[in-house]
Amino acid sequence: MGKVRKLNDSERKSIVSMFPQLGVTETARRVGCSKSTVQRVWAADGAGAADAQGACPGASPPDEPETTAERLVELRGMLRAALNDAPPQAVAGLAREYRATIEEIDRLEGGDGGDPVAGALDSIAARIAAKMPPP
């Protein structure tokens, strides 16, 4: 078993603030501790802070998204930030989630047909299909 390093208060606060957005691995890398330490600190400090916010009935954070579209826009921002800091092996998965989130936002906002490139590609595909012999 490895050596246990005592975290100071600022490191613990950093873990609690970073973990929800960055995840266990990235938070551990930035703070310079193990993944299990991040999980342990979050269980002790982070979960309690989340419960304390919910203790007052009817009170919600003012910047909490209310609609599905707002939540997706918030997720898009988190994914964009995560893509900037992601290790190379995680970029493909994050990019896939980012594209799916953008497509869902477009679908919810009625953005179908708003992409000029997609319209041009559809037009080219239709012309090619018209020239092909029937099966």
Side-chain angles (χ1 to χ4, degrees):
M1 187 172 237
K3 234 180 178 183
V4 176
R5 181 173 69 89
K6 182 94 170 147
L7 297 174
N8 61 37
D9 286 339
S10 67
E11 290 173 321
R12 292 179 78 85
K13 287 178 184 176
S14 294
I15 288 172
V16 170
S17 66
M18 280 190 264
F19 173 71
Q21 289 82 24
L22 300 178
V24 176
T25 304
E26 184 62 19
T27 302
R29 186 185 69 77
R30 288 186 182 194
V31 174
C33 63
S34 68
K35 293 188 250 180
S36 62
T37 299
V38 171
Q39 292 170 335
R40 187 172 25 87
V41 169
W42 176 254
D45 299 351
D51 292 342
Q53 286 179 347
C56 183
S60 65
D63 59 346
E64 186 175 318
E66 295 178 5
T67 66
T68 302
E70 289 174 350
R71 288 185 191 109
L72 286 169
V73 169
E74 182 181 31
L75 175 61
R76 179 185 64 193
M78 285 196 250
L79 288 169
R80 184 181 305 133
L83 273 168
N84 292 334
D85 297 330
Q89 63 270 21
V91 171
L94 287 169
R96 192 170 33 254
E97 289 295 322
Y98 184 73
R99 281 191 303 271
T101 302
I102 289 173
E103 288 172 3
E104 186 64 19
I105 290 170
D106 284 345
R107 189 186 66 75
L108 283 175
E109 292 178 347
D112 295 337
D115 185 10
V117 174
L121 291 174
D122 289 341
S123 172
I124 292 169
R127 285 189 302 222
I128 292 171
K131 292 179 183 178
M132 294 181 74

